[in-house]
Amino acid sequence: QVQLMESGGGSVQAGGTLRLSCAPSELILRPGCMAWFRQAPGKEREGVASIDNDGSNSVRESIQGRFTVSRANAKDPLYLEMNNLKPEDTAMYYCAARWERGPPPLRGYQYRFWGQGTQVTVSS
């Protein structure tokens, strides 16, 4: 049963914008932390951004200033606003969640629930 549902991926040209969203199912009420991860072909999964119920967030250094993670409150979806996209941002993006509260980590093993992913492709 799908517990996290991502949407918003697609194909854009370099410099473009995409907004990803992730909606938790009823099975995951009020997750303490949520995060975005990505995995490009032939590469390891890496943390992109995470946020806890208090709004504290962690953002991968390489995407600071371009990506913004947000979540209005513990019941709302998770978002990732991606601006000035680059070809190296091309990857499958996954949403993750856990019950425990923050500080919000960016290590995959610290998250229990995962979505099926949404593809982001950036062309030059």
Side-chain angles (χ1 to χ4, degrees):
Q1 186 172 359
V2 177
Q3 296 169 326
L4 295 169
M5 181 67 73
E6 304 101 333
S7 62
S11 298
V12 296
Q13 291 188 330
T17 296
L18 284 173
R19 188 188 194 213
L20 306 183
S21 64
C22 173
S25 73
E26 294 180 351
L27 295 176
I28 311 176
L29 295 175
R30 300 178 178 271
C33 292
M34 296 186 73
W36 291 100
F37 291 81
R38 68 185 182 185
Q39 187 168 19
K43 295 187 177 181
E44 293 186 354
R45 183 181 61 195
E46 60 184 22
V48 176
S50 59
I51 191 168
D52 68 10
N53 288 355
D54 296 325
S56 297
N57 63 76
S58 299
V59 179
R60 187 175 190 83
E61 186 174 349
S62 64
I63 58 96
Q64 286 182 356
R66 298 193 298 122
F67 292 10
T68 301
V69 62
S70 63
R71 184 178 170 217
N73 58 55
K75 296 184 296 182
D76 281 357
L78 175 72
Y79 298 100
L80 184 68
E81 180 84 14
M82 304 185 294
N83 298 308
N84 190 23
L85 281 161
K86 302 177 180 180
E88 52 263 41
D89 295 319
T90 295
M92 185 71 79
Y93 283 70
Y94 297 92
C95 174
R98 71 177 197 175
W99 298 118
E100 296 84 354
R101 299 172 68 95
L106 273 177
R107 297 186 182 275
Y109 71 87
Q110 293 181 289
Y111 289 87
R112 177 179 179 181
F113 304 102
W114 292 83
Q116 294 182 327
T118 185
Q119 178 67 37
V120 171
T121 302
V122 185
S123 58
S124 58

